[in-house]
Amino acid sequence: MLTGVIAGAVFTSPAVGSILAAIRAVAQAGTVGTLLIVKNYTGDRLNFGLAREQARAEGIPVEMVVVGDDSAFTVLKKAGRRGLCGTVLIHKVAGALAEAGVGLEEITDRVSVIAKAMGTLGVSLSSCSVPGSKPTFELSADEVELGLGIHGEAGVRRIKMATADEIVALMLDHMTSSSNASHVPVPPGSSVVLMVNNLGGLSFLELGIIADAAVCSLEGRGVKIARALVGTFMSALEMPGVSLTLLLVDEPLLKLIDAETTASAWPNVAKVWVTGRKRSRAAPTEPLAAPDSTTAAGEASKQMVLVLEWVCTTLLGLEEHLNALDRAAGDGDCGTTHSRAARAIQGWLKEGPPPASPAQLLSKLSFLLLEKMGGSSGALYGLFLTAAAQPLKAKTDLPAWSAAMDAGLEAMQKYGKAAPGDRTMLDSLWAAGQELQAWKSPGANMLQILTKAVKSAEAAAEATKNMEAGAGRASYISSARLDQPDPGAVAAAAILRAILEVLQSQGA
């Protein structure tokens, strides 16, 4: 890419003497000429222009290309379009041409043409902080700045906060509209290189969300994306924003973009088209369940619906309480995670009655929670239900349900590495499981034993506030800060209580 670079003070054009020193250093290295690539700002044009003239007076062949790729202004000012992140693409193309042995004048002519087939637009949530200065502009919490520069300067207008998809669509509309004097013409069928540039303050995750939105929006307009370059190419210090650059390309130009470079920050993207490449794949469908052969399927199914609906209602009502408990020992989302599971189950119930076969029901719930609940809770409940379903395939009497509880607890301990007393959801379930051992005795009373099991689970959940965490995220927290019950244990006990309440109301 570049042979030399001259840095000025922050957001300031470098001094003429520095530029001239760089030109002389490159000339002394034995080059046939120097091309200055300058962003279109008054100070840069003046200082680089003066250095060029002085170098020429010394007999050094020097050409200059001024890049103005800003697509923000609907009416062009005398100063022209500002130089933004698209300048980096000119660096890449010019460097590839020079490496290929193309002459100075031809490189100058070719990149001048290429620069005119390019546009960039930026958007940000706030200004940056120039060292020693106050922010150059301020936004309210629900505003976004559109069309700003790379030196912290304000944009052309402010828009209301919206989703990434909506913001990107608005940016592309503005960049490509023929009513905009600084637009880049990108009709359907065009091929482009898309550059998604971090203005300094975004995470790579946020940048990826914007990139996905831009790819989808462009493809929806019939534009073919040859390459998508995502990264920090031209930042404005720590500005929390992004710019999009579109460069119209053909195959010869694409080869220059793809040319090898040792520039460390240039992304090593696959040299294949983004458009037309399969970027996602449909999830495989779950195995088909065997036909339900239970004779009392109708009644059992109705009872299961009541149980599941009350469990969901209970968890949704506990969302804020569980989140508050989790904030002391984790990331504060235990209630949200359980509510997500509850809503997934509610949505599933609307699709039709659940299977009356207990084994099939637990297997289906396991699949649903593993897919929809997320977090370690989703994995643990999925493990528990998958294992618990196995003993119920042959029998569904009380001893089989006790064996199902044992199997579920064993699976949770095996993969979760928790044990009773480690201040986790296992404490509640383990306490209940010990009481349910009585179901294995002849003539056991289901509701009496289940009532004792629920009370034991609730007592175990309350007792977790006096335990030192031995597993899970809370194990990294000082025990002195853990003075509330474990949210997972509280949730597990609440689920068991909800099951008991429905069975009691049904006279089971």
Side-chain angles (χ1 to χ4, degrees):
M1 291 178 69
L2 300 178
T3 305
V5 62
I6 311 102
V10 174
F11 295 159
T12 305
S13 174
V16 174
S18 298
I19 302 169
L20 189 58
I23 295 172
R24 289 170 178 157
V26 170
Q28 288 170 4
T31 58
V32 296
T34 299
L35 174 63
L36 302 176
I37 301 173
V38 181
K39 290 181 284 295
N40 187 30
Y41 295 95
T42 302
D44 292 271
R45 289 198 315 270
L46 289 172
N47 288 332
F48 277 87
L50 183 52
R52 177 197 179 197
E53 295 302 320
Q54 290 184 353
R56 280 185 156 185
E58 296 175 12
I60 303 172
V62 181
E63 297 292 344
M64 187 165 97
V65 171
V66 178
V67 182
D69 56 317
D70 188 4
S71 291
F73 297 99
T74 54
V75 178
L76 283 182
K77 307 290 179 68
K78 184 176 181 180
R81 300 164 68 184
R82 295 173 295 189
L84 301 178
C85 188
T87 310
V88 177
L89 291 173
I90 299 302
H91 295 165
K92 182 68 179 66
V93 171
L97 287 170
E99 194 70 19
V102 177
L104 177 60
E105 289 187 11
E106 184 180 346
I107 294 176
T108 305
D109 292 341
R110 287 178 67 174
V111 297
S112 296
V113 172
I114 292 166
K116 292 180 173 61
M118 180 171 62
T120 298
L121 187 68
V123 67
S124 182
L125 302 174
S126 75
S127 175
C128 61
S129 300
V130 179
S133 303
K134 294 181 179 180
T136 48
F137 63 88
E138 293 185 1
L139 295 170
S140 61
D142 64 341
E143 288 183 323
V144 177
E145 192 81 5
L146 181 74
L148 30 71
I150 54 170
H151 305 118
E153 65 267 46
V156 293
R157 66 182 172 116
R158 289 177 183 176
I159 56 177
K160 288 296 181 183
M161 183 72 72
T163 66
D165 288 338
E166 291 167 336
I167 293 289
V168 166
L170 191 149
M171 291 175 74
L172 292 174
D173 286 342
H174 188 95
M175 291 174 69
T176 61
S177 173
S178 58
S179 63
N180 175 3
S182 62
H183 78 286
V184 53
V186 186
S190 301
S191 298
V192 301
V193 166
L194 166 68
M195 179 175 269
V196 183
N197 172 55
N198 185 1
L199 289 174
L202 293 188
S203 67
F204 202 78
L205 174 63
E206 292 165 310
L207 207 61
I209 291 170
I210 296 291
D212 181 65
V215 167
C216 292
S217 184
L218 285 166
E219 290 182 339
R221 299 162 189 247
V223 177
K224 301 172 187 174
I225 303 169
R227 303 288 184 271
L229 310 174
V230 183
T232 304
F233 302 101
M234 188 175 290
S235 68
L237 296 179
E238 86 298 12
M239 182 180 282
V242 63
S243 67
L244 300 179
T245 299
L246 298 177
L247 170 64
L248 291 158
V249 293
D250 53 17
E251 282 301 325
L253 178 52
L254 199 53
K255 286 181 179 178
L256 297 172
I257 297 290
D258 286 342
E260 293 297 326
T261 175
T262 56
S264 59
W266 185 256
N268 184 27
V269 298
K271 296 176 174 58
V272 293
W273 285 66
V274 175
T275 299
R277 182 172 31 158
K278 196 166 187 178
R279 298 188 295 273
S280 62
R281 177 186 301 273
T285 56
E286 59 183 299
L288 293 174
D292 202 331
S293 59
T294 309
T295 53
E299 288 304 314
S301 183
K302 288 179 183 177
Q303 190 176 61
M304 261 324 144
V305 169
L306 291 174
V307 168
L308 291 173
E309 285 179 342
W310 188 235
V311 167
C312 292
T313 300
T314 299
L315 291 177
L316 290 170
L318 284 172
E319 181 173 1
E320 286 305 316
H321 177 58
L322 294 175
N323 280 344
L325 292 176
D326 194 31
R327 277 192 284 272
D331 50 4
D333 67 347
C334 182
T336 303
T337 302
H338 282 78
S339 291
R340 189 160 54 239
R343 293 188 183 93
I345 294 171
Q346 287 176 333
W348 172 56
L349 291 175
K350 289 178 183 178
E351 297 172 4
S357 161
Q360 291 179 19
L361 176 71
L362 296 188
S363 294
K364 176 60 185 177
L365 284 172
S366 169
F367 182 86
L368 191 67
L369 296 184
L370 287 170
E371 184 181 20
K372 302 292 186 181
M373 187 176 186
S376 56
S377 297
L380 288 169
Y381 278 119
L383 277 168
F384 178 87
L385 293 170
T386 298
Q390 306 315 306
L392 296 171
K393 288 181 176 179
K395 293 182 179 181
T396 59
D397 55 9
L398 287 181
W401 278 101
S402 179
M405 187 73 167
D406 292 343
L409 290 169
E410 183 183 352
M412 288 181 73
Q413 290 183 86
K414 179 179 180 180
Y415 294 102
K417 299 298 182 185
D422 279 344
R423 199 183 192 276
T424 69
M425 63 191 288
L426 180 69
D427 288 299
S428 294
L429 295 173
W430 179 266
Q434 297 311 292
E435 297 293 343
L436 295 183
Q437 295 294 320
W439 274 352
K440 295 174 182 176
S441 302
N445 184 297
M446 185 192 77
L447 281 180
Q448 284 182 0
I449 293 170
L450 182 59
T451 301
K452 287 183 66 177
V454 171
K455 289 180 179 177
S456 292
E458 290 172 337
E462 182 64 19
T464 59
K465 69 181 181 181
N466 300 317
M467 296 177 184
E468 182 173 344
R473 192 167 291 167
S475 62
Y476 301 107
I477 306 296
S478 168
S479 58
R481 289 179 51 196
L482 300 175
D483 56 358
Q484 295 294 321
D486 178 71
V490 171
I495 292 170
L496 294 173
R497 169 64 68 180
I499 295 170
L500 173 64
E501 290 172 351
V502 174
L503 294 178
Q504 285 176 329
S505 70
Q506 294 290 301

